[in-house]
Amino acid sequence: MDKEIQQLKKRLRDLAERSYAQGIFTFSNFLSLSEQEVFWQEEAGLRYAGTCLNGGYGSAERVVVRFGSGEELGYEVPFPIVCVHIRPRAEKFAEQLSHRDFLGALMNLGIDRSTLGDIKAGEKQACLFCLDSIAEFICENLVQVRHTYVTCAITEDISFLPQEEPELVNVQVQSLRADAVLARVYNMSREQSLELFRTGRVYVNGRNCENNSRQLGSGDTVNARGYGKFTLTGELRETRKGKLSVEAAVYR
């Protein structure tokens, strides 16, 4: 793991240096949340080249880092990200397909995971964000997901993007400490919540959070690996017993 982290740090530094020295835009592959944390650890030393993150749509979890500033370079280059719409050839006979089903089918093609961004799966279709360099290969070779035959096409219209419907829950806590809220949202013990922080599996607004006593606020998004994510919404209220009541939009 340490070797992989060092390799990623070197790759990011190389991309930043090449962008700055040659006056061009350079791009990383897609980074997972843990890899993004490596980027943020190095960000101060990469800032000279200009950095920007994008995953193809607003709330993407997996993102590409672009090095280079349009203001400095005098021109703009879009991120090399495209959207591939995956849908059944015959919807009548299609199965209910999950994110895991689509990802498994893509991995069976021998594709490097770092070339793939988020997969937004609906009941029988999916919207895949990927690097433009792999998109045509996917369109030509992804013909089946589980037992369902599919067709793929690159699209610029993502209005059909499956929308995650969160479950709105109200939790009551003594304070808005991250560990306390996490424990209540996922109905776990305080010790289980603390273990997630100790093992680096909690991210707040896309950044790894090791401080379990961090105070959360309205609009903060917490991702607990293995459990899902939630966003604090609505107004904070105090109950008659002096506890704090807050609403969370939970994505399973």
Side-chain angles (χ1 to χ4, degrees):
M1 184 61 70
D2 288 341
K3 182 178 179 181
E4 292 176 358
I5 291 174
Q6 294 307 315
Q7 289 175 338
L8 176 57
K9 288 182 177 180
K10 183 179 185 304
R11 176 63 174 160
L12 294 171
R13 289 193 293 265
D14 289 346
L15 288 170
E17 178 57 31
R18 186 155 63 89
S19 172
Y20 184 78
Q22 299 180 19
I24 61 174
F25 288 100
T26 59
F27 301 88
S28 72
N29 282 355
F30 281 97
L31 304 182
S32 65
L33 282 174
S34 58
E35 290 170 330
Q36 289 170 50
E37 186 59 27
V38 175
F39 163 76
W40 287 116
Q41 291 171 7
E42 298 292 302
E43 192 268 341
L46 304 171
R47 201 174 297 161
Y48 71 94
T51 61
C52 183
L53 282 66
N54 192 302
Y57 70 106
S59 57
E61 180 174 304
R62 295 175 63 82
V63 299
V64 168
V65 179
R66 185 184 74 174
F67 294 95
S69 166
E71 186 175 332
E72 293 291 331
L73 297 178
Y75 68 101
E76 282 288 344
V77 171
F79 279 74
I81 301 173
V82 296
C83 176
V84 175
H85 188 190
I86 308 171
R87 53 187 173 181
R89 292 184 183 177
E91 186 170 352
K92 179 180 179 181
F93 303 105
E95 303 164 89
Q96 301 294 321
L97 300 171
S98 67
H99 176 281
R100 179 176 295 183
D101 295 325
F102 287 105
L103 179 58
L106 289 161
M107 293 294 94
N108 286 338
L109 295 178
I111 296 174
D112 187 334
R113 182 67 175 99
S114 69
T115 65
L116 306 178
D118 285 3
I119 303 171
K120 304 296 289 183
E123 293 182 348
K124 298 180 180 181
Q125 64 177 342
C127 188
L128 163 68
F129 293 89
C130 64
L131 296 183
D132 55 12
S133 58
I134 198 68
E136 289 293 346
F137 176 84
I138 292 172
C139 289
E140 292 173 3
N141 292 277
L142 184 61
V143 297
Q144 187 174 351
V145 179
R146 289 184 62 187
H147 302 295
T148 299
Y149 288 97
V150 299
T151 181
C152 304
I154 298 172
T155 180
E156 295 183 359
D157 177 16
I158 61 172
S159 59
F160 65 90
L161 188 68
Q163 299 297 316
E164 293 181 282
E165 293 295 336
E167 175 188 358
L168 297 179
V169 300
N170 284 284
V171 295
Q172 294 183 7
V173 290
Q174 294 291 350
S175 73
L176 290 182
R177 284 173 53 121
D179 56 358
V181 177
L182 184 65
R184 290 294 296 158
V185 167
Y186 293 114
N187 194 28
M188 62 177 69
S189 69
R190 195 64 168 269
E191 182 58 34
Q192 288 175 308
S193 174
L194 289 173
E195 181 64 17
L196 292 177
F197 285 91
R198 283 195 290 262
T199 54
R201 294 166 61 189
V202 179
Y203 295 80
V204 178
N205 300 328
R207 298 289 307 274
N208 186 249
C209 180
E210 296 181 347
N211 179 15
N212 61 284
S213 62
R214 170 176 172 164
Q215 294 292 305
L216 299 179
S218 180
D220 282 343
T221 296
V222 179
N223 188 308
R225 304 312 297 269
Y227 288 87
K229 67 179 180 180
F230 65 87
T231 299
L232 294 187
T233 60
E235 296 182 359
L236 182 67
R237 303 184 305 277
E238 185 173 343
T239 69
R240 294 180 178 178
K241 295 184 178 180
K243 289 188 176 182
L244 300 177
S245 177
V246 64
E247 182 182 76
V250 184
Y251 300 85
R252 302 296 181 180

